[in-house]
Amino acid sequence: MQDFKKYLNPLYKDIDQVQNFSDVKYKNDQEKIEYPYLEHITKINVKSIEWLLPRLERLTQDLEDQIHIVEQETGDDAAAAKSIYNQILQEIQLTVNRINKDLIKVDSPYFGKIIFTPNDTPTKKDMNIYIGKFAVTDKKTRIPLVVDWRAPIANLYYQNSGPTKKVHFEAPVGKRKGELKEKKQFEISRSRIQNIYNATTGNSAADAFLLSQLNSRLGKKLADIVSTIQEQQNEIIRGKINKPAIIQGVAGSGKTTILLHRLAYLFFNYKDEILPEKSLIVAPNRMFLDYISDVLPNLGVHGINTQTYLFWGKKVLNWDNRFNISTEKENIKHKEYKGSTKFLQFLDTYFNDFEESLLEDIPYSRSDRISRRYFELKESFPHISMEERLNLAIDYAFAQNQFRTKQTGSYDDTFNIQNEKKKKILSYTKKNLNPYRLYKNIFTKKLVPKDICTYTLKGLRAKSAHRYFRMEDLAPIVYLQLKIQGTKDFEQQYIVIDECQDLSHIEISTLASIAKNGNILLAGDLAQSIIPPFYIRDWDTVKDLLKNLGHSDISYHQLNRCYRTTIEIIEFANKIFRDRFPKSYKLPEAVLRHGDPIRNIVLTKELKDIKTDELKTFLSTIQQEFAKGAVTCALICKDKQHARAVYDKIKPFEELIGREITDFSENDYHNGLLVLPVSRAKGLEFDSVVILDLNEERYPDTEYNTRLLYVAITRTLHRLIIVKNKSIKDSPLLDT
């Protein structure tokens, strides 16, 4: 029998112990006041779990029984049996999700408490509001015992650092005004109070709570921040829908977390308009998607689409594994052109010309009828796709011809001849509406400069049944496909794009065009553009692109505070970057947290070339990082070739370190020691970071290397180690 309990939070095994409060000893009067309420809420949550666990066992048995039925049935009966099997499996998944949600509520049922006194009621009675990740309601009275962090009244918790005289929130009945008398913040684990922060003195208590949360972070997968969402982050998360938004945020400012909490907020407050299964997250690579994969389920969200642009684009084009990325050498200049707004404008002109020539060359003596009807439909129904418009025009032309010759409804030779002509026309249009072929024609017909044509055709080649393309060619092909097929079939109710600074303008345009009502949120950091040719130099070009798609109202947010790393590391980074970045780039501002000084290690040569004794000494340093409590440690290398050489060198010593050593070819974010190029470390964070071989040969003083170093330094949560090489001069980037 299958064991679905393995997918549950392990806390379920200790549920009896957790709900027994007889051993609790109060550390202070506040705990004495608060514990009875915590016990009450815990028992309500446990009761739900105690009802669901037997249900999971029954469903598991039902599934096992259904497997035997499926094995015995044939034909239609087998299909019906499989359908029942799938229904049971779906019920099991829903039950597992419900239990895990309740276990989260048991572990930490709430993190905040506010006392709000409304001044718009005669009694002005205090409202004691507990705020948690999920709501808890008294089943008998229907009174909310804990409100969800996404509820309107919870906004008072995020907007105010402490007691405030005049506050308000938007309730379903309208604006409620009053006074915030008290704000408390709780650290609760396994239904036990660890600390209570009483925010009666303004920001100091709030900062102490935030500092405690930041210090306790260990670089496992990304976690939610519902208890510590800051005011500016809260404004973005709770912003209005039906318009695009852009976040420019320094490293560690919480961009990714904001994107995910924004989605969780929308799914809660706009249930009828924005659904998880109709929304999309676009991220730079599969490891990044795995890194963020726990956040939304922990916020009760399941079923959202998560894709890299490559996989999303191939899905739009309905491409299978026969379509592959070309291994031909890149030309950065040509690559930049094919991702630019200039090339986007060219594609529009090219498509309009193609549209006219396609209609002119239809193999039919009455093609003028088709063409005339096509443009009538285009003017009257601009949102109909080209493909649909063309088919309607063809149907109309032949229907008119049948009507005029009084052939409608007959099946003589004339009808058959007309039908054959129609098939020939449809075959012609299908052949010419192939976006890959259409895009390739740009270069075979030399409609752009010759050197670009020669370069592109080397990438757009066929071999046996396979078709090849360069990555920068994918978005223009998708763009043409959306012009042909329209956006309706690909529409998403909300789209978030992370690390947006590394996308081309055409990639952004294709995604923005399928975002319903302009519901798209783009986040990035221009200082972290490390994938040439750096398409986006400023966000104004992206704003113009969105305006051209009909979105005049665009929200823009600048985030400057770094919550990830320590003051010492941020000050070290800013000394390097202050004079090397353009003044328009905002450097990160450190928040609250002090830590260890930056450590320097000198190896005789680059790590890949040192002898075994020296390597073992170095690896003992890594071992010390784990001894200090690190869960993840990243060895960050310049590029993939560098990372492969380092990984091959140290992998045989995995036992010496006592941790798994993982390289960048893995799609999952692992604990232990990770060997990554800067490009794959971007967007991630680790307890400790070691930047390898910071010498003048690998890191000369260029804008590109400055960006790489900026990304590498800002990956760490707690500690940073710089490795230099005695046989090679230090990188001039370190001359501060």
Side-chain angles (χ1 to χ4, degrees):
M1 183 179 293
Q2 297 184 65
D3 178 21
F4 291 100
K5 286 184 177 179
K6 67 183 179 182
Y7 300 111
L8 297 178
N9 184 324
L11 183 63
Y12 86 91
K13 298 175 182 177
D14 303 327
I15 206 72
D16 290 336
Q17 178 188 346
V18 169
Q19 69 172 323
N20 182 1
F21 284 75
S22 61
D23 61 342
V24 171
K25 292 181 173 58
Y26 308 133
K27 296 193 290 285
N28 51 53
D29 289 342
Q30 283 198 92
E31 287 193 4
K32 187 175 181 180
I33 294 169
E34 293 293 347
Y35 254 115
Y37 197 80
L38 176 58
E39 182 176 357
H40 177 53
I41 300 298
T42 299
K43 290 189 182 301
I44 291 173
N45 291 327
V46 167
K47 190 175 290 186
S48 174
I49 294 169
E50 289 175 339
W51 180 81
L52 287 167
L53 283 172
R55 174 175 169 76
L56 179 60
E57 291 173 359
R58 289 194 301 272
L59 286 168
T60 302
Q61 184 60 58
D62 290 346
L63 190 73
E64 195 72 17
D65 295 340
Q66 194 63 29
I67 290 172
H68 296 305
I69 294 172
V70 170
E71 291 171 347
Q72 294 168 9
E73 300 292 356
T74 59
D76 292 341
D77 290 338
K82 288 177 183 177
S83 177
I84 294 171
Y85 171 87
N86 290 330
Q87 290 173 20
I88 297 171
L89 195 61
Q90 187 175 15
E91 280 297 311
I92 288 173
Q93 182 63 62
L94 291 172
T95 304
V96 167
N97 291 342
R98 284 182 63 188
I99 294 171
N100 279 332
K101 183 177 177 179
D102 283 338
L103 286 166
I104 291 171
K105 288 156 70 173
V106 167
D107 183 35
S108 182
Y110 48 83
F111 54 81
K113 175 186 177 183
I114 56 174
I115 297 178
F116 173 70
T117 307
N119 58 20
D120 52 2
T121 59
T123 59
K124 294 187 178 182
K125 185 180 178 182
D126 288 348
M127 297 170 61
N128 288 269
I129 311 294
Y130 287 83
I131 301 161
K133 201 177 290 185
F134 304 110
V136 179
T137 304
D138 187 305
K139 288 188 177 181
K140 292 181 180 178
T141 64
R142 308 307 302 166
I143 293 174
L145 304 174
V146 177
V147 302
D148 191 292
W149 68 275
R150 296 163 288 192
I153 196 169
N155 208 23
L156 295 174
Y157 170 86
Y158 293 111
Q159 283 185 322
N160 303 281
S161 61
T164 309
K165 288 289 184 183
K166 294 181 180 180
V167 298
H168 70 272
F169 69 95
E170 296 293 338
V173 295
K175 184 178 287 189
R176 299 291 308 275
K177 298 179 180 179
E179 177 184 352
L180 181 64
K181 283 189 174 179
E182 183 179 286
K183 174 180 175 178
K184 279 187 168 68
Q185 295 169 299
F186 299 88
E187 287 179 349
I188 299 175
S189 177
R190 294 174 65 87
S191 288
R192 299 297 184 267
I193 296 172
Q194 309 300 315
N195 281 301
I196 301 176
Y197 299 83
N198 196 344
T200 56
T201 55
N203 284 327
S204 60
D207 286 350
F209 179 68
L210 175 60
L211 181 59
S212 172
Q213 300 299 302
L214 294 176
N215 279 329
S216 64
R217 282 170 64 184
L218 290 174
K220 299 178 183 178
K221 289 185 181 181
L222 192 67
D224 68 79
I225 59 162
V226 291
S227 64
T228 58
I229 293 171
Q230 301 299 289
E231 187 173 352
Q232 189 181 12
Q233 296 172 334
N234 184 55
E235 288 173 5
I236 302 170
I237 290 167
R238 295 174 184 262
K240 293 181 179 179
I241 61 170
N242 299 335
K243 67 177 190 177
I246 297 171
I247 302 173
Q248 160 59 39
V250 300
S253 57
K255 298 182 294 296
T256 302
T257 312
I258 291 170
L259 297 182
L260 300 175
H261 286 69
R262 168 72 168 159
L263 287 171
Y265 172 81
L266 294 173
F267 300 146
F268 180 84
N269 285 283
Y270 298 93
K271 292 181 177 70
D272 298 328
E273 299 170 67
I274 301 173
L275 303 172
E277 58 270 23
K278 293 287 187 179
S279 300
L280 175 67
I281 298 172
V282 179
N285 54 62
R286 302 303 301 178
M287 183 180 284
F288 185 91
L289 287 172
D290 182 65
Y291 171 65
I292 67 174
S293 62
D294 286 348
V295 177
L296 288 175
N298 285 339
L299 294 173
V301 176
H302 302 273
I304 192 166
N305 300 308
T306 57
Q307 296 282 359
T308 61
Y309 189 89
L310 171 62
F311 282 91
W312 174 79
K314 290 183 72 172
K315 186 176 180 181
V316 168
L317 295 166
N318 198 27
W319 284 359
D320 56 22
N321 291 332
R322 290 174 297 173
F323 288 84
N324 301 289
I325 296 177
S326 172
T327 56
E328 293 286 336
K329 187 178 179 181
E330 285 187 340
N331 180 305
I332 297 300
K333 182 181 177 183
H334 298 338
K335 184 177 180 180
E336 183 174 16
Y337 169 72
K338 288 191 287 181
S340 66
T341 53
K342 184 178 180 181
F343 190 59
L344 191 63
Q345 292 164 1
F346 166 82
L347 288 174
D348 287 335
T349 303
Y350 168 68
F351 191 83
N352 289 337
D353 293 342
F354 160 75
E355 189 178 38
E356 291 184 7
S357 64
L358 179 76
L359 292 164
E360 288 174 2
D361 296 338
I362 287 176
Y364 183 48
S365 59
R366 306 292 176 83
S367 62
D368 58 313
R369 291 181 183 172
I370 297 174
S371 182
R372 187 165 55 250
R373 183 58 178 168
Y374 176 89
F375 285 110
E376 286 173 358
L377 288 168
K378 186 175 182 179
E379 184 175 350
S380 302
F381 305 99
H383 296 298
I384 294 179
S385 71
M386 178 194 185
E387 193 172 47
E388 186 177 358
R389 199 158 49 231
L390 195 54
N391 289 335
L392 287 171
I394 292 168
D395 288 343
Y396 175 83
F398 277 88
Q400 287 291 96
N401 185 62
Q402 288 180 357
F403 179 77
R404 268 189 286 273
T405 56
K406 299 182 181 180
Q407 294 293 329
T408 303
S410 63
Y411 293 91
D412 58 13
D413 290 345
T414 307
F415 179 86
N416 291 332
I417 291 169
Q418 290 294 312
N419 207 32
E420 286 301 314
K421 285 183 179 179
K422 186 176 179 181
K423 285 182 180 178
K424 187 177 180 181
I425 294 169
L426 291 173
S427 175
Y428 161 81
T429 58
K430 183 179 180 180
K431 179 181 177 181
N432 284 278
L433 292 181
N434 180 309
Y436 184 90
R437 179 196 297 268
L438 182 60
Y439 180 69
K440 194 171 182 178
N441 283 343
I442 294 171
F443 309 100
T444 55
K445 294 179 179 179
K446 295 181 172 55
L447 301 180
V448 294
K450 185 179 178 181
D451 56 342
I452 298 177
C453 294
T454 303
Y455 163 77
T456 303
L457 290 173
K458 282 184 180 178
L460 294 172
R461 60 186 178 86
K463 187 176 181 181
S464 299
H466 291 273
R467 298 288 181 272
Y468 292 89
F469 62 96
R470 285 190 172 91
M471 190 58 205
E472 74 262 21
D473 293 318
L474 180 61
I477 297 172
V478 170
Y479 188 76
L480 293 174
Q481 170 76 330
L482 294 176
K483 280 187 166 292
I484 293 167
Q485 200 170 334
T487 59
K488 186 177 179 182
D489 291 342
F490 312 105
E491 187 177 72
Q492 298 290 318
Q493 292 171 348
Y494 207 91
I495 298 175
V496 299
I497 308 174
D498 208 351
E499 301 294 335
C500 184
Q501 76 279 352
D502 288 325
L503 294 186
S504 73
H505 291 91
I506 301 182
E507 286 173 326
I508 293 171
S509 178
T510 55
L511 289 165
S513 69
I514 65 160
K516 187 176 182 180
N517 299 326
N519 278 327
I520 187 167
L521 176 56
L522 309 95
D525 179 12
L526 297 180
Q528 294 186 68
S529 292
I530 60 169
I531 301 177
F534 314 137
Y535 295 108
I536 300 171
R537 301 284 177 169
D538 61 67
W539 293 108
D540 289 340
T541 56
V542 177
K543 291 177 187 175
D544 290 340
L545 189 154
L546 294 170
K547 288 175 183 176
N548 290 336
L549 289 170
H551 308 300
S552 56
D553 186 12
I554 302 165
S555 296
Y556 179 80
H557 307 274
Q558 175 86 40
L559 302 176
N560 298 331
R561 304 189 81 194
C562 173
Y563 299 96
R564 175 183 295 140
T565 196
T566 63
I567 291 171
E568 287 77 11
I569 293 170
I570 290 301
E571 288 179 349
F572 171 75
N574 287 346
K575 283 179 183 177
I576 296 173
F577 309 129
R578 185 170 288 112
D579 297 328
R580 289 184 171 88
F581 279 159
K583 294 191 182 300
S584 58
Y585 287 11
K586 300 292 184 183
L587 293 173
E589 299 171 5
V591 174
L592 298 173
R593 193 163 64 96
H594 284 279
D596 295 348
I598 288 75
R599 185 174 174 186
N600 290 282
I601 293 177
V602 179
L603 301 178
T604 55
K605 300 176 182 178
E606 289 201 343
L607 187 138
K608 64 182 178 61
D609 299 321
I610 61 176
K611 293 181 179 179
T612 301
D613 288 345
E614 188 177 9
L615 178 61
K616 287 182 176 179
T617 302
F618 170 75
L619 293 178
S620 69
T621 302
I622 305 300
Q623 199 175 24
Q624 290 169 22
E625 291 301 309
F626 292 111
K628 291 176 183 176
V631 175
T632 57
C633 179
L635 298 186
I636 299 185
C637 305
K638 170 77 177 285
D639 50 36
K640 291 181 179 179
Q641 185 179 4
H642 187 200
R644 283 193 192 97
V646 169
Y647 176 77
D648 290 342
K649 182 80 171 184
I650 68 171
K651 181 65 174 177
F653 298 91
E654 194 169 56
E655 199 171 312
L656 177 64
I657 298 174
R659 295 291 192 281
E660 181 182 9
I661 301 176
T662 308
D663 77 340
F664 63 91
S665 64
E666 295 280 344
N667 284 329
D668 294 339
Y669 178 87
H670 290 262
N671 294 341
L673 184 61
L674 295 90
V675 183
L676 304 168
V678 179
S679 60
R680 292 301 297 271
K682 185 159 63 70
L684 309 179
E685 61 186 24
F686 313 92
D687 297 323
S688 302
V689 162
V690 181
I691 304 178
L692 290 173
D693 304 327
L694 211 61
N695 59 61
E696 67 173 356
E697 293 177 9
R698 289 204 180 271
Y699 291 92
D701 194 351
T702 66
E703 178 190 359
Y704 177 58
N705 287 315
T706 301
R707 292 169 183 265
L708 287 177
L709 191 55
Y710 174 69
V711 171
I713 289 174
T714 55
R715 294 309 92 204
T716 184
L717 286 163
H718 302 295
R719 290 175 294 279
L720 175 66
I721 298 172
I722 301 291
V723 176
K724 305 175 184 179
N725 313 115
K726 193 173 182 180
S727 61
I728 315 173
K729 286 184 179 179
D730 295 346
S731 167
L733 294 173
L734 294 175
D735 295 336
T736 57

